[in-house]
Amino acid sequence: RGDDIPYTPVFYAYTLLTNTSISLFVDKLRLTAAAQLSLRADCPGPLCVELQDYSQALVHLRLYAHGNVTIWLGTQYTTYGLYSVIPQEKLLEDSYSPVMLAKAVKNVKEQEMLRAAHVRDAVAVIQHLLWLEKMVPQGQVDEFSGAQHIDMLRQAQEHSHGPSFQSISASGLNAALAHYSPSNGSSQKLSVDEMYLLDSGGQYLDGTTDITRTVHWGVPTPLQKEAYTRVLMGNIDLSRLVFPSNTAGKAVESFARRALWDVGLNYGHGTGHGIGNFLSVHEWPVGFQSNNVPLTAGMFTSIEPGYYQDGEFGIRIEDVALVVEAQTKHQSGEKPFLTFEVVSLVPYDRNLIDLSLLSPEQIRYLNTYYETIRARVGPELQRQQLEEEYRWLQRSTEPFPLSSAATTATATMGMLALTSFLPTLLIGLQA
């Protein structure tokens, strides 16, 4: 890892992997003695990393291409300068590098590490939400200081390596701008009378995080409450979906939008993106866009539906989820069906949820999710002696009553429509 790119712990380099050697083209002056020693620890041998000057990558590749070789590369993220020196008859092209595809599927150890990072990240976010509840009514927080505060809290967590991107800390009408970021010179005060959207994340030695929570400390309008609830419904419907192996993310993306579509609402950004393991917070090629690869067990992706009312407010609810094998009643085919395991562990704003819109299944999902949050984050809050935050967590994860759910008939119709929706999408994709 390195620090050449803001928020992303990597360094500028090229690597040429052959069946007998590993060549790393890098500015050697940037490497510490310990790093050089580690890279060359397996020399001589098949895992020996040969250090070459960064400027020699093109020359070295051209010479290598003169041999009796086939060169495999991904065209999506290769410069034309490198691509052009490889004779076409020696070129094996894929859209994505085999390294990218392998990196996209996390092994069991990487999955454990990312889960652990999200527990500590949840502690920081919970600390922040409690702090906002206290300070915003006093008029002492603006968008910029709010963004600074969450970065400070994450920095105090074990294995922290800074933020994973510039925080989107947006109040009121600024939250209607999906990628707004405040500055010290133009930062709006947070108010109990407006919605507040915080999209932030951290880099930890054991994982990368990205989470969005939208809150309102006062009395939300009927539209704000309905829109928030429908965004939450979309988040739930996609998170609990069971789907066939090798399904493209684009084929299931509409489940996150359906509750909004039902009433003529929508959002204008993607529904999710891949997440790195102490790497980029936006890791291609995982996600829900048409040019993303099919979903596979071991991939991490964000799930982040939203709604934005121009000039008034914005809503986004974002969680990171791991693609896992689903436990289904029947087995069909060689590969099991898949679903998502949400690893973000911060409760949603109860003040903005209209339970009458939720089906019993959606409420059961929320209650189970909140049990998971209590079980995983509660002990960490106590270990860090954060008793006030622990009490806040207990209050915020109280189970929702099923009696408040939408009527059985309405819920049944909704689920029938939902289950009939997926085959249509899959047929359309195959066509």
Side-chain angles (χ1 to χ4, degrees):
R1 301 295 194 270
D3 290 298
D4 286 352
I5 301 174
Y7 308 115
T8 305
V10 297
F11 54 91
Y12 290 112
Y14 290 103
T15 303
L16 178 63
L17 304 176
T18 77
N19 56 0
T20 59
S21 66
I22 305 171
S23 299
L24 177 64
F25 301 89
V26 62
D27 181 355
K28 297 179 186 179
L29 297 178
R30 301 294 309 279
L31 296 175
T32 64
Q36 293 195 41
L37 186 63
S38 175
L39 289 168
R40 298 189 57 79
D42 292 304
C43 299
L47 296 180
C48 173
V49 179
E50 301 174 2
L51 297 178
Q52 307 278 354
D53 191 82
Y54 183 83
S55 63
Q56 295 302 303
L58 186 64
V59 174
H60 194 98
L61 178 61
R62 184 181 285 112
L63 290 173
Y64 180 74
H66 286 161
N68 184 24
V69 297
T70 299
I71 299 175
W72 187 10
L73 57 75
T75 56
Q76 288 285 333
Y77 287 89
T78 298
T79 66
Y80 187 75
L82 292 176
Y83 177 85
S84 63
V85 303
I86 304 171
Q88 288 295 307
E89 68 273 13
K90 297 184 177 182
L91 188 61
L92 175 60
E93 295 185 35
D94 269 336
S95 294
Y96 302 111
S97 158
V99 176
M100 289 184 70
L101 296 175
K103 185 176 62 173
V105 180
K106 276 58 175 178
N107 61 35
V108 172
K109 182 61 177 178
E110 289 174 312
Q111 293 173 28
E112 292 174 358
M113 292 168 66
L114 276 158
R115 287 190 185 99
H118 278 86
V119 171
R120 298 192 309 278
D121 195 71
V123 170
V125 177
I126 288 168
Q127 286 180 286
H128 186 63
L129 291 174
L130 176 59
W131 177 79
L132 289 172
E133 282 186 10
K134 294 177 177 179
M135 305 303 290
V136 170
Q138 300 177 30
Q140 297 186 18
V141 186
D142 61 26
E143 295 166 327
F144 187 73
S145 64
Q148 287 184 313
H149 190 257
I150 185 60
D151 288 347
M152 178 192 71
L153 291 171
R154 280 196 171 95
Q155 192 65 47
Q157 289 297 312
E158 187 178 13
H159 304 316
S160 175
H161 198 75
S164 56
F165 58 97
Q166 184 177 0
S167 295
I168 299 172
S169 172
S171 180
L173 58 85
N174 288 335
L177 305 171
H179 297 98
Y180 168 87
S181 290
S183 66
N184 200 18
S186 57
S187 182
Q188 184 168 305
K189 283 277 188 184
L190 273 56
S191 167
V192 295
D193 298 319
E194 292 186 318
M195 300 186 83
Y196 173 64
L197 185 155
L198 178 67
D199 185 346
S200 65
Q203 291 285 8
Y204 302 89
L205 297 181
D206 49 355
T208 302
T209 68
D210 184 2
I211 185 170
T212 306
R213 290 296 181 263
T214 305
V215 296
H216 196 303
W217 299 284
V219 181
T221 67
L223 174 59
Q224 288 173 337
K225 196 162 185 173
E226 179 183 2
Y228 180 93
T229 304
R230 290 187 178 277
V231 170
L232 177 61
M233 291 163 69
N235 182 292
I236 293 171
D237 287 345
L238 184 52
S239 297
R240 63 187 288 267
L241 186 67
V242 176
F243 52 92
S245 181
N246 210 41
T247 295
K250 184 64 177 176
V252 298
E253 190 258 6
S254 298
F255 283 86
R257 300 179 186 267
R258 180 183 173 274
L260 290 165
W261 285 357
D262 280 346
V263 293
L265 303 179
N266 201 4
Y267 55 93
H269 57 71
T271 295
H273 54 80
I275 303 284
N277 188 355
F278 189 40
L279 285 168
S280 175
V281 72
H282 284 196
E283 186 174 86
W284 212 252
V286 178
F288 298 96
Q289 299 183 45
S290 58
N291 54 350
N292 289 142
V293 296
L295 295 168
T296 302
M299 291 178 172
F300 282 82
T301 181
S302 68
I303 295 176
E304 49 182 299
Y307 174 70
Y308 308 90
Q309 185 75 11
D310 286 346
E312 295 185 31
F313 63 87
I315 299 163
R316 187 160 61 253
I317 299 174
E318 176 184 16
D319 293 311
V320 172
L322 168 64
V323 182
V324 296
E325 293 184 2
Q327 303 301 312
T328 54
K329 181 180 179 180
H330 301 289
Q331 299 290 330
S332 61
E334 296 181 359
K335 294 184 178 180
F337 276 51
L338 302 174
T339 189
F340 296 104
E341 173 198 332
V342 174
V343 298
S344 300
L345 297 167
V346 178
Y348 310 115
D349 186 7
R350 301 176 82 94
N351 188 37
L352 283 165
I353 299 175
D354 182 354
L355 289 177
S356 70
L357 294 176
L358 301 183
S359 69
E361 290 80 5
Q362 290 167 335
I363 290 183
R364 289 190 189 97
Y365 172 89
L366 274 179
N367 288 341
T368 300
Y369 175 54
Y370 280 5
E371 288 175 4
T372 301
I373 294 177
R374 283 188 172 189
R376 300 210 63 201
V377 182
E380 181 63 18
L381 289 169
Q382 292 182 310
R383 188 188 72 82
Q384 296 188 31
Q385 299 181 335
L386 298 169
E387 293 302 324
E388 188 177 6
E389 285 81 358
Y390 179 80
R391 292 191 297 271
W392 182 93
L393 177 66
Q394 298 300 110
R395 293 193 305 271
S396 301
T397 53
E398 282 290 328
F400 293 103
L402 281 169
S403 59
S404 301
T407 65
T408 303
T410 302
T412 303
M413 289 296 292
M415 290 308 296
L416 285 172
L418 192 61
T419 51
S420 66
F421 199 31
L422 180 55
T424 302
L425 285 169
L426 292 176
I427 291 170
L429 182 69
Q430 292 166 357

